[in-house]
Amino acid sequence: MRALVISWASFRHGEATAGDVLAMREVGGVLSTIGLPHDLAWSPAHRPGELSYEEVDPARYSHVVFVCGPAHGRQLREVHRRFAHCRRIAVGVSVIDPADDAVTGFDRVFARDHDGIGTPDLSLGATTDEVLVTGVILAPGQGEYGAAGRHTEVHTSLTEWIAGVDCARIPLDMRLASADWQRCETPDQFTSILSHLDVVVTTRLHGLVLGLRAGVPVLAVDPVDGGGEVSAQADALGWPALVSAAESGDTKILDSWWRWCSSIQGRSVAALRALPTGDGLVRDLVETLKSGPVR
């Protein structure tokens, strides 16, 4: 006996949601507990290189367990066709039409919702691990730096690197807007988001400044050859986690500063930088204004 666990996250033209994958994790854990050998199948678009639903040998399995999502559509009809010899069970699914052959093809259906009646979803019971919540703030192209600006190249390297880091990534746009729900309307809203992060990765001056203001470690990358405003601000604030444009493609350097920002030391230094650091620019302005009009 061996079971194959599948969901919409198993189909090339399906989609892998966090809920789908957690439901599969929960069912896999239950099968392990009862001692039933099993495999979890994944879409090659979601997890390339892992066991693919398209390539498994149906003859290897005695059971197919379909988990989560709507019991509907041609993909499920294909499951019934390919695994006709298996005992097919659907669990935690939405049944919209009980007469649909995608539904009736299962030997047993344990619905999470049907006819307006609901049962708690499988994802509620799945175990999860805490990872660092990371805000990613990228600068727009800054034409004022001319040929020294390497924003496109730096952002390509940086985003490819962060995509491989095990963290919860939140892309953030610092531009405020009053009629766009995807952006903050006030700086207070934006800084409130920052205060809930564990790390900030940024190529923007204010990504660095406001991240540290919130007491959050910042991995700052300067997208300007030779150093621009990001480097100058990191120097002014005494912040060490700075990567130059030339170093931005070096994953070892990025990994090293990521580990430091994630460490107790990085958090401690960021907490110190959150304290007021002086009002030099304001003092200069006030003294100038007090000196009277320019003659």
Side-chain angles (χ1 to χ4, degrees), residues 62-114:
S62 58
H63 293 72
V64 170
V65 183
F66 180 77
V67 180
C68 200
H72 170 79
R74 64 174 180 78
Q75 289 97 328
L76 285 190
R77 296 186 183 93
E78 176 65 11
V79 169
H80 297 318
R81 186 193 68 78
R82 286 192 68 205
F83 297 89
H85 66 286
C86 292
R87 182 168 173 79
R88 299 182 303 283
I89 303 169
V91 59
V93 297
S94 296
V95 176
I96 295 93
D97 179 6
D100 188 335
D101 57 3
V103 177
T104 60
F106 288 104
D107 297 292
R108 295 294 302 273
V109 176
F110 301 100
R112 69 182 174 191
D113 52 87
H114 66 96

Side-chain angles (χ1 to χ4, degrees), residues 199-263:
V199 179
V200 169
V201 175
T202 189
T203 57
R204 294 200 75 149
L205 178 150
H206 282 121
L208 168 62
V209 173
L210 298 184
L212 294 180
R213 182 180 182 275
V216 179
V218 179
L219 199 173
V221 181
D222 195 325
V224 178
D225 258 336
E229 61 184 13
V230 174
S231 295
Q233 195 62 209
D235 180 65
L237 298 175
W239 183 247
L242 174 69
V243 176
S244 70
E247 297 169 327
S248 63
D250 191 327
T251 57
K252 290 183 179 179
I253 292 176
L254 293 171
D255 286 342
S256 177
W257 280 120
W258 172 265
R259 288 191 296 270
W260 185 83
C261 287
S262 307
S263 69

Side-chain angles (χ1 to χ4, degrees), residues 22 25 123 125-130:
L22 286 175
R25 185 183 297 180
S123 62
T127 58
T128 58
D129 295 321
E130 293 292 329

Side-chain angles (χ1 to χ4, degrees), residues 22-57:
L22 286 175
M24 290 180 71
R25 185 183 297 180
E26 172 69 0
V27 169
V30 169
L31 297 182
S32 295
T33 298
I34 66 174
L36 178 60
H38 61 280
D39 297 316
L40 274 60
W42 304 102
S43 162
H46 172 52
R47 294 192 180 180
E50 296 197 25
L51 184 74
S52 168
Y53 162 78
E54 297 174 354
E55 298 176 357
V56 297
D57 179 5

Side-chain angles (χ1 to χ4, degrees), residues 125-286:
T127 58
T128 58
D129 295 321
E130 293 292 329
V131 299
L132 296 177
V133 180
T134 304
V136 181
I137 307 171
L138 302 180
Q142 296 169 306
E144 60 268 30
Y145 285 107
R150 291 177 51 192
H151 296 67
T152 299
E153 177 185 342
V154 168
H155 289 163
T156 297
S157 298
L158 189 60
T159 52
E160 287 178 354
W161 166 77
I162 195 68
V165 176
D166 184 17
C167 66
R169 297 173 288 276
I170 302 178
L172 296 174
D173 189 340
M174 298 194 73
R175 296 172 299 170
L176 304 179
S178 59
D180 183 351
W181 70 269
Q182 296 183 82
R183 296 191 205 167
C184 293
E185 183 175 359
T186 68
D188 312 270
Q189 295 170 2
F190 189 82
T191 55
S192 293
I193 293 174
L194 295 181
S195 69
H196 288 83
L197 301 177
D198 296 306
V199 179
V200 169
V201 175
T202 189
T203 57
R204 294 200 75 149
L205 178 150
H206 282 121
L208 168 62
V209 173
L210 298 184
L212 294 180
R213 182 180 182 275
V216 179
V218 179
L219 199 173
V221 181
D222 195 325
V224 178
D225 258 336
E229 61 184 13
V230 174
S231 295
Q233 195 62 209
D235 180 65
L237 298 175
W239 183 247
L242 174 69
V243 176
S244 70
E247 297 169 327
S248 63
D250 191 327
T251 57
K252 290 183 179 179
I253 292 176
L254 293 171
D255 286 342
S256 177
W257 280 120
W258 172 265
R259 288 191 296 270
W260 185 83
C261 287
S262 307
S263 69
I264 293 175
Q265 182 184 12
R267 291 193 292 270
S268 298
V269 176
L272 291 175
R273 295 302 180 274
L275 300 173
T277 56
D279 55 355
L281 292 175
V282 172
R283 184 174 57 249
D284 291 344
L285 173 63
V286 170

